[in-house]
């Protein structure tokens, strides 16, 4: 039952099934003592006042609570209970509050506290009590949190008995070397496992949590750095000695503009990598429109000059096709064969010549989606792989790609999404980083304006003026996650409205539910200028390039995050014309949303926006998407919240690898053994996509 429901198959699994909370009814705390990593605590005091903030799903009731020495916020999210709470717990009434302190927007708060009249206070003597998650099926079978408590208590009792005898059980034996646990004053393993279930005090729980978090992050960094060092020492890379006809002809005869200083610098950095004899593994970060694709093209030409092939991998078919079109265009007059391979390229007649050409070396540049990873795709001499705009491969996965080649290709990962440093250290911890921090000259900064939905005619007049002078317009509708039907309806109604407003114009419509062939037809009609307005969902978010489009209208802009709005805005401003981004929102906006919109109207700087974005988002929003890139599951560490620990873990992983580079010292043997055991449990990477 435990195995089926919670994947607990061994004692060790059970030991690592940590309680989701502890309850400390032994004493009262003062607000000024609280920190974010405490268990559930009790406070005594009164509510000063209430406020309602946010809107939609983020609507919340905030109470300012004081114990006479400090103030903390209580927060509730269920709008239908707001009235009831305000009536029941009126300001000034003496209360006992019970809950877990949390950090939100840099301030301590407690979400959904239990509140009781102060006279009901009872202090228990039990110590901190653990609470375990269990499933409904388990509860029906009588295995609730209390039953889990019995299991863990028995198990921990056994382990403690064993560790005092000579037959020390391997479960309790610490795999971190003593030199490390001493230097960082880490709690020993056995104690920390016990304390994570049965802490004697809030402080012991905190120290146990610290050790477990550190340990999880340490093994992730050890894994990353081990892969990186192994590569540096043992994996040979292609050497691109020659700058030959392909590069030079393009650079001097076909390139229609000067490279920016930043583009030149990153190309120099990569060229240096390619001369070392080691495999390049680089992350290229640069804002939308900063010219990353062009850098990719120049590198591909360099590969060709040195007798090799290049492969460019995009996350979607539309993007792959766009790259393909760009490359075909730019390289049209040159003897370079570029081919496209995606899932949509079907049928023997179309696929076979591409596969054959790739195998013979006749195809110089292969552009595609995940399809290029299939076994049927064999390269004569693949020396450069460029992965565009993706966050889907973990470090270990990336290391395994193309490993079957005798000399693995250089790998360049390109991203337009600025990533916080500690996150990058984990997700891209094996990559060197190059940054393009400059836009091509002559770009007129995009002008961003805010319109209310109950919009004045002037918006339509302005758009009419742009279209009359030959420009094109994007109109984007958000995906509303609750219902696909609503999404479509939203888009369809919008589309009809635009058709009514501009009956004389041709208007395209693209959304995720369309067949990919239809989607492509519509996209290319717009790209070719056959249609003047493109009404779409966020499918156009990344990478699409139509320089003649100068207006981006974003409907319901309040529903998008900052980073996403910035990405969308980056679709215009790609030609020499003045471009506009129009953010359309409803009239009633929360303070947060107003600030978000204001930031976009004020700045075009992607890094500034990324920082603001992190400030606005709670760590919760980042978790789902970002945890997924790690090789081992994180049980209690959190990449967004435990940033400083990530750095500490990385530093110490380096110290360990320096001390025992061949993984042969007895002191570290248990550590390496544990790392390889974690590796075995890890997710099956063979199942990409
Ligand atoms: P990214 O991939 O970083 O979003 P792109 O490579 O698609 O950016 O470049 C955006 C646009 O800018 C393209 O139309 C490209 O041709 C153009 N471009 C790139 N580099 C330069 C440059 N140095 N000077 C002028 N235009 C450039
Ligand atoms: Mg791009």
């Amino acid at each position: 039952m435990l195995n089926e429901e919670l994947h607990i198959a061994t004692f060790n699994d059970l030991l690592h099934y940590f309680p989701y909370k502890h309850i400390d009814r032994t004493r009262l705390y003062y607000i000024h003592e609280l920190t974010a990593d405490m268990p559930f605590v009790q406070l005594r005091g009164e509510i000063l006042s209430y406020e309602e903030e946010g809107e939609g799903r983020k609507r919340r009731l905030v109470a300012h609570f004081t114990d006479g020495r400090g103030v903390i916020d209580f927060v509730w999210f269920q709008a239908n209970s707001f009235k009831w709470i305000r009536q029941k717990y009126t300001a000034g009434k003496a209360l006992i509050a019970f809950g877990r302190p949390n950090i939100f927007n840099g301030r301590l708060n407690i979400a959904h506290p239990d509140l009781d009249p102060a006279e009901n206070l009872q202090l228990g003597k039990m110590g901190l009590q653990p609470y375990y998650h269990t499933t409904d099926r388990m509860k029906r079978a009588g295995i609730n949190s209390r039953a889990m408590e019995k299991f863990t208590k028995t198990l921990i009792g056994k382990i403690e008995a064993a560790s005092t005898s000579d037959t020390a059980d391997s479960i309790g034996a610490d795999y971190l070397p003593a030199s490390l646990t001493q230097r960082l004053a880490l709690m020993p393993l056995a104690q920390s496992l016990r304390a994570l279930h049965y802490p004697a005090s809030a402080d012991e729980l905190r120290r146990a949590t610290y050790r477990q978090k550190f340990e999880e992050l340490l093994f992730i960094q050890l894994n990353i750095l081990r892969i990186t060092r192994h590569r540096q020492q043992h994996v040979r890379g292609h050497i691109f000695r020659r700058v030959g006809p392909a590069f030079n002809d393009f650079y001097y005869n076909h390139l229609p503009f000067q490279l920016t200083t930043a583009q030149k610098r990153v190309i120099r950095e990569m060229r240096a990598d390619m001369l070392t004899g080691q495999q390049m593994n680089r992350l290229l970060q640069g804002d939308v429109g900063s010219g990353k694709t062009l850098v990719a093209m120049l590198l591909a030409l360099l590969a060709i000059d040195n007798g090799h092939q290049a492969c460019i991998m995009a996350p979607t078919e539309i993007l792959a096709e766009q790259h393909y079109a760009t490359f075909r265009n730019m390289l049209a007059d040159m003897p370079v064969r570029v081919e496209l391979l995606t899932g949509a390229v079907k049928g023997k007649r179309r696929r076979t010549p591409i596969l054959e050409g790739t195998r013979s070396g006749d195809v110089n540049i292969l552009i595609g989606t995940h399809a290029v990873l299939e076994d049927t795709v064999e390269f004569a001499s693949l020396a450069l792989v460029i992965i565009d705009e993706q966050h889907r491969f973990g470090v270990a996965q990336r290391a395994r790609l193309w490993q079957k080649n005798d000399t693995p290709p250089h790998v360049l990962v390109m991203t337009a999404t600025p990533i916080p440093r500690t996150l990058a250290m984990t997700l891209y911890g094996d990559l060197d980083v190059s940054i393009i921090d400059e836009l091509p000259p002559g770009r007129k900064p995009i002008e961003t304006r805010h319109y209310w939905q109950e919009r004045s005619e002037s918006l339509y007049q302005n758009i009419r003026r742009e279209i009359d002078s030959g420009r094109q317009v994007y109109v984007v509708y958000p995906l509303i996650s609750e219902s696909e039907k609503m999404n479509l309806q939203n888009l369809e109604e919008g589309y009809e409205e635009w058709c009514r407003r501009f009956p004389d114009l041709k208007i395209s419509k693209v959304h995720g539910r369309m067949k990919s062939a239809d989607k492509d037809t519509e996209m290319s009609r717009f790209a070719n200028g056959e249609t003047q307005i493109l009404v779409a969902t966020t499918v156009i978010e990344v990478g699409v390039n139509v320089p003649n489009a100068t207006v981006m209208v974003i409907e319901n802009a309040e529903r998008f995050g900052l980073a996403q709005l910035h990405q969308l805005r980056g679709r215009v401003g790609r030609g020499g014309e003045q471009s506009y981004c129009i953010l359309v929102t409803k009239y009633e906006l929360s303070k947060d949303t107003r600030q978000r919109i204001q930031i976009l109207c004020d700045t075009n700087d992607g890094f500034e926006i990324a920082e603001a974005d992190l400030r606005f988002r709670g760590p919760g929003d980042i978790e789902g998407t970002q945890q997924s890139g790690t090789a081992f599951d994180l049980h209690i560490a959190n990449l967004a919240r435990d940033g400083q620990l990530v750095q500490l873990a990385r530093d110490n992983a380096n110290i360990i690898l320096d001390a025992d580079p061949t993984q042969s010292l007895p002191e570290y043997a248990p550590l390496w053994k544990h790392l390889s055991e974690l590796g075995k449990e890890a997710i099956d990477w063979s199942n990409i996509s």
Side-chain angles (χ1 to χ4, degrees):
M1 173 82 104
L2 286 185
N3 192 5
E4 279 166 41
E5 296 294 304
L6 302 173
H7 303 288
I8 298 177
T10 65
F11 285 152
N12 204 29
D13 292 344
L14 180 59
L15 212 50
H16 284 85
Y17 191 69
F18 300 128
Y20 67 94
K21 70 173 182 187
H22 285 89
I23 290 204
D24 183 358
R25 291 205 188 260
T26 59
R27 56 167 285 206
L28 280 172
Y29 282 79
Y30 286 113
I31 291 168
H32 63 75
E33 295 178 277
L34 301 185
T35 58
D37 49 7
M38 281 191 164
F40 278 62
V41 297
Q42 294 184 106
L43 305 169
R44 177 160 51 192
E46 64 187 62
I47 286 169
L48 293 169
S49 61
Y50 284 100
E51 264 174 83
E52 290 186 32
E53 294 176 2
E55 62 190 72
R57 283 189 302 146
K58 296 217 165 133
R59 187 149 185 78
R60 56 193 185 267
L61 174 66
V62 178
H64 306 297
F65 180 88
T66 181
D67 59 6
R69 297 197 185 185
V71 178
I72 189 169
D73 287 345
F74 294 160
V75 190
W76 292 267
F77 294 98
Q78 281 131 13
N80 55 5
S81 64
F82 291 175
K83 202 170 147 208
W84 178 82
I85 291 168
R86 298 178 80 139
Q87 279 169 1
K88 180 146 188 215
Y89 306 110
T90 47
K93 194 166 159 186
L95 296 171
I96 294 295
F98 191 71
R100 175 153 54 192
N102 221 325
I103 292 267
F104 181 74
N105 280 349
R107 291 179 48 152
L108 269 182
N109 74 15
I110 293 180
H112 290 224
D114 284 342
L115 296 175
D116 260 328
E119 56 270 24
N120 291 357
L121 173 67
Q122 280 182 352
L123 296 180
K125 294 184 206 64
M126 263 182 15
L128 273 58
Q129 192 181 10
Y131 281 74
Y132 298 91
H133 279 300
T134 56
T135 63
D136 287 342
R137 208 175 137 231
M138 291 168 67
K139 285 193 188 97
R140 280 199 299 279
I143 306 179
N144 56 13
S145 176
R146 293 284 72 79
M148 291 296 291
E149 197 181 329
K150 276 200 194 108
F151 295 151
T152 55
K153 202 169 258 170
T154 313
L155 178 61
I156 286 166
K158 285 221 168 92
I159 292 169
E160 293 203 321
S163 62
T164 52
S165 75
D166 286 342
T167 57
D169 191 272
S170 67
I171 287 182
D174 204 336
Y175 31 71
L176 295 188
S179 56
L180 179 69
T181 48
Q182 274 158 21
R183 183 156 39 81
L184 299 179
L186 296 176
M187 188 181 275
L189 176 65
Q191 186 191 348
S192 76
L193 288 174
R194 196 257 305 141
L196 280 164
H197 295 273
Y198 300 99
S201 64
D203 189 55
E204 199 193 25
L205 177 61
R206 182 167 33 231
R207 289 191 51 223
T209 307
Y210 183 85
R211 149 142 194 163
Q212 278 297 322
K213 284 183 175 180
F214 173 78
E215 170 188 323
E216 286 179 12
L217 297 169
L218 177 74
F219 282 108
I220 286 186
Q221 290 300 329
L222 276 173
N223 190 49
I224 292 172
L225 293 171
R226 196 170 59 158
I227 291 172
T228 311
R229 287 188 182 210
H230 177 269
R231 191 168 60 213
Q232 284 164 356
Q233 282 152 12
H234 300 287
V235 179
R236 285 187 311 117
H238 296 276
I239 299 182
F240 290 1
R241 227 169 246 117
R242 241 159 83 87
V243 180
F247 188 97
N248 284 331
D249 184 24
F250 179 74
Y251 192 84
Y252 294 107
N253 304 329
H254 296 285
L255 189 61
F257 38 66
Q258 288 268 311
L259 291 185
T260 62
T261 315
Q263 282 172 319
K264 285 184 191 155
R265 188 189 63 242
V266 301
I267 290 174
R268 257 201 316 275
E269 286 167 0
M270 294 176 209
R271 274 220 68 211
D273 288 351
M274 291 163 171
L275 289 171
T276 59
Q278 292 182 353
Q279 183 197 16
M280 175 180 86
N281 277 271
R282 232 173 228 285
L283 176 67
L284 177 59
Q285 266 188 297
D287 213 343
V288 280
S290 60
K292 295 183 295 298
T293 311
L294 195 76
V295 169
M297 195 180 306
L298 286 162
L299 290 177
L301 294 174
L302 211 55
I304 296 170
D305 276 338
N306 287 274
H308 303 293
Q309 295 161 291
C311 176
I312 294 161
M313 200 158 81
T316 66
E317 283 180 9
I318 291 183
L319 279 177
E321 281 157 31
Q322 188 115 48
H323 278 318
Y324 177 65
T326 307
F327 274 61
R328 287 288 284 240
N329 255 329
M330 298 274 256
L331 304 176
D333 304 327
M334 295 182 46
V336 172
R337 181 169 166 200
V338 185
E339 292 289 353
L340 175 73
L341 190 73
T342 68
V345 178
K346 286 215 175 72
K348 265 208 175 126
R349 273 202 27 238
R350 290 179 64 203
R351 274 183 101 92
T352 307
I354 298 174
L355 293 176
E356 274 171 4
T358 305
R359 194 173 307 125
S360 70
D362 199 37
V363 170
N364 303 108
I365 302 175
L366 184 69
I367 299 178
T369 52
H370 276 83
V372 301
L373 293 175
E374 285 163 18
D375 281 339
T376 50
V377 184
E378 293 170 66
F379 290 86
S381 177
L382 178 64
L384 174 67
V385 172
I386 296 165
I387 305 175
D388 188 17
E389 313 257 17
Q390 62 85 39
H391 297 137
R392 291 189 213 156
F393 294 111
V395 174
Q397 257 178 317
R398 221 165 30 231
R400 245 168 258 180
L401 295 175
W402 297 285
Q403 210 57 283
K404 61 185 174 197
N405 296 44
D406 293 338
T407 306
H410 297 299
V411 176
L412 177 67
V413 177
M414 303 200 296
T415 174
T417 319
I419 313 161
R421 218 175 57 88
T422 53
L423 226 48
M425 227 188 280
T426 308
L427 300 182
Y428 300 118
D430 59 329
L431 304 179
D432 299 314
V433 179
S434 289
I435 296 177
I436 305 187
D437 50 7
E438 181 188 0
L439 289 179
R443 291 271 171 84
K444 299 198 180 78
I446 302 165
E447 249 181 65
T448 302
R449 296 184 192 157
H450 179 200
Y451 278 79
W452 306 117
Q453 222 152 40
E454 302 73 19
R455 67 196 88 150
S456 54
E457 285 303 306
S458 69
L459 168 58
Y460 292 110
Q461 280 163 18
N462 288 339
I463 284 174
R464 169 66 74 183
R465 200 169 324 119
E466 282 295 304
I467 290 173
D468 283 348
S469 56
R471 311 280 163 257
Q472 290 164 284
V473 177
Y474 293 106
V475 182
V476 177
Y477 286 86
L479 287 171
I480 305 161
S481 55
E482 291 97 68
S483 147
E484 285 231 34
K485 236 165 122 188
M486 288 268 299
N487 284 332
L488 275 184
Q489 195 189 336
N490 201 19
L491 180 83
E492 294 293 349
E493 280 170 10
Y495 174 72
E496 274 161 31
E497 162 102 32
W498 285 91
C499 291
R500 258 198 314 278
R501 292 270 175 180
F502 299 100
D504 54 320
L505 299 184
K506 295 213 183 64
I507 304 187
S508 288
K509 178 174 68 181
V510 173
H511 57 79
R513 295 278 289 279
M514 284 163 76
K515 279 208 210 95
S516 103
D518 297 342
K519 211 155 52 186
D520 295 347
T521 313
E522 280 307 303
M523 290 293 292
S524 48
R525 264 160 46 94
F526 183 70
N528 300 334
E530 288 168 42
T531 58
Q532 289 88 41
I533 300 180
L534 174 70
V535 177
T537 53
T538 44
V539 289
I540 62 164
E541 191 176 336
V542 271
V544 174
N545 192 18
V546 182
N548 191 46
T550 56
V551 183
M552 166 65 68
V553 180
I554 304 176
E555 301 273 0
N556 297 112
E558 72 273 10
R559 289 181 176 272
F560 292 94
L562 255 184
Q564 207 183 7
L565 288 171
H566 180 61
Q567 283 281 328
L568 283 169
R569 178 168 63 179
R571 298 305 110 211
V572 295
R574 305 192 138 233
E577 306 298 328
Q578 177 62 53
S579 292
Y580 305 90
C581 174
I582 312 287
L583 305 173
V584 182
T585 70
K586 58 181 181 176
Y587 190 66
E588 239 183 51
L589 292 181
S590 69
K591 201 166 121 232
D592 282 6
T593 309
R594 271 202 307 275
Q595 284 181 358
R596 271 209 313 267
I597 303 279
Q598 194 57 46
I599 287 169
L600 282 161
C601 293
D602 290 348
T603 183
N604 279 305
D605 182 333
F607 282 92
E608 212 174 294
I609 288 166
E611 270 172 30
D613 193 31
L614 257 187
R615 280 202 310 275
F616 278 114
R617 293 191 294 178
D621 292 332
I622 316 182
E623 274 164 43
T625 43
Q626 323 270 355
Q627 298 290 73
S628 57
T630 59
F632 315 135
D633 289 344
L634 293 174
H635 291 285
I636 54 180
N638 177 299
L639 294 179
R641 258 192 305 251
D642 300 321
Q644 284 180 326
L645 266 184
V646 174
Q647 181 68 59
L648 188 72
R650 189 168 177 95
D651 293 345
N652 280 281
N654 268 317
I655 292 174
I656 291 169
L657 283 161
D658 286 342
D660 187 14
T662 53
Q663 301 178 20
S664 53
L665 294 183
E667 190 196 351
Y668 295 97
L671 177 102
W672 301 125
K673 184 159 166 270
H674 188 70
L675 180 61
S676 78
E677 276 159 12
L678 283 173
K680 277 182 220 137
E681 286 168 24
I683 311 147
D684 182 6
W685 292 116
S686 59
N687 210 341
I688 301 173
S689 98

